[in-house]
């Protein structure tokens, strides 16, 4: 990691080195995913929101989509409105609570996600296929431990 960053002095701690390594790796992975999604005129946040809706399989509150996002999306309303304007999702007011808006994928949104599924799978394989399954499972567990230790 020191070489990649052209760091002249040692890291202050292994925690600092790990943090910078996670951030550097995250940036590389996110950039490659964003590049792929641009081919479909989607941002990572839009894609993430659509995948959440597909997984739910029925209309869901807009704020619940925001709660499930991989990255915090403070402007979930904007993300939703962009997807609505493209006809990829629908947004309706809840009949039970007029303050709540329900969102769900349209037929066009489902079709677009099906079109993206294989390229995304290939990207995952390209970016992480060289890492052993054992190491990936260990990485997943280690990152979960790190997230679980962070207090809000």
């Amino acid at each position: 990691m020191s070489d990649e960053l052209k760091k002249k002095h040692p890291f202050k701690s292994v925690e600092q080195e790990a943090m910078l390594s996670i951030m550097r790796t995250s940036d590389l992975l996110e950039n490659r995913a964003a590049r792929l999604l641009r081919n479909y005129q989607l941002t990572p946040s839009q894609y993430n929101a659509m995948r959440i809706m597909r997984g739910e399989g029925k209309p869901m509150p807009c704020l619940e989509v925001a709660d499930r996002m991989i990255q915090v999306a403070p402007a979930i309303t904007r993300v939703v409105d962009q997807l609505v304007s493209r006809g990829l999702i629908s947004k309706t007011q809840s009949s039970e609570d007029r303050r709540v808006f329900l969102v769900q994928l349209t037929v066009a949104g489902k079709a677009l996600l099906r079109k993206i599924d294989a390229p995304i799978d290939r990207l995952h394989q390209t970016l992480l296929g060289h890492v052993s399954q054992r190491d990936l499972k260990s990485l997943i567990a280690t990152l979960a431990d790190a997230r679980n230790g962070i207090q809000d």
Side-chain angles (χ1 to χ4, degrees):
M1 182 72 192
S2 291
D3 294 341
E4 280 183 62
L5 299 178
K6 297 179 175 56
K7 191 159 170 42
K8 293 179 176 42
H9 303 288
F11 290 101
K12 291 181 181 176
S13 66
V14 71
E15 291 85 1
Q16 180 190 45
E17 183 176 5
M19 178 80 168
L20 293 174
S21 184
I22 290 167
M23 292 171 71
R24 176 82 169 155
T25 304
S26 175
D27 186 59
L28 290 170
L29 296 174
E30 287 176 42
N31 284 336
R32 291 293 296 276
R35 191 180 318 159
L36 175 81
L37 291 170
R38 269 195 300 273
N39 294 327
Y40 301 93
Q41 291 78 48
L42 289 175
T43 65
S45 292
Q46 291 169 337
Y47 175 69
N48 186 209
M50 289 177 67
R51 288 203 55 208
I52 291 165
M53 289 177 226
R54 178 171 61 179
E56 185 67 18
K58 63 182 185 194
M60 64 186 297
C62 195
L63 290 178
E64 188 173 335
V65 173
D67 287 344
R68 295 188 195 182
M69 296 286 282
I70 292 171
Q71 292 179 320
V72 176
I76 189 65
T77 302
R78 189 169 66 93
V79 169
V80 164
D81 289 345
Q82 290 167 340
L83 294 170
V84 167
S85 71
R86 288 189 56 198
L88 299 173
I89 68 170
S90 63
K91 176 177 153 183
T92 56
Q93 199 168 31
S94 170
S95 58
E96 297 162 10
D97 184 344
R98 298 188 56 75
R99 297 169 296 174
V100 174
F101 286 90
L102 302 175
V103 291
Q104 69 178 350
L105 288 176
T106 62
V107 171
K110 290 175 186 175
L112 180 58
L113 282 182
R114 281 193 302 275
K115 191 175 176 181
I116 297 173
D117 284 340
I120 287 287
D121 289 345
R122 284 192 298 274
L123 180 66
H124 293 166
Q125 185 61 37
T126 298
L127 296 177
L128 295 172
H130 62 283
V131 181
S132 74
Q133 293 289 301
R134 182 179 53 84
D135 286 348
L136 288 172
K137 288 179 182 179
S138 176
L139 175 62
I140 291 164
T142 300
L143 293 172
D145 284 348
R147 285 191 308 277
N148 291 335
I150 298 172
Q151 299 174 4
D152 288 336

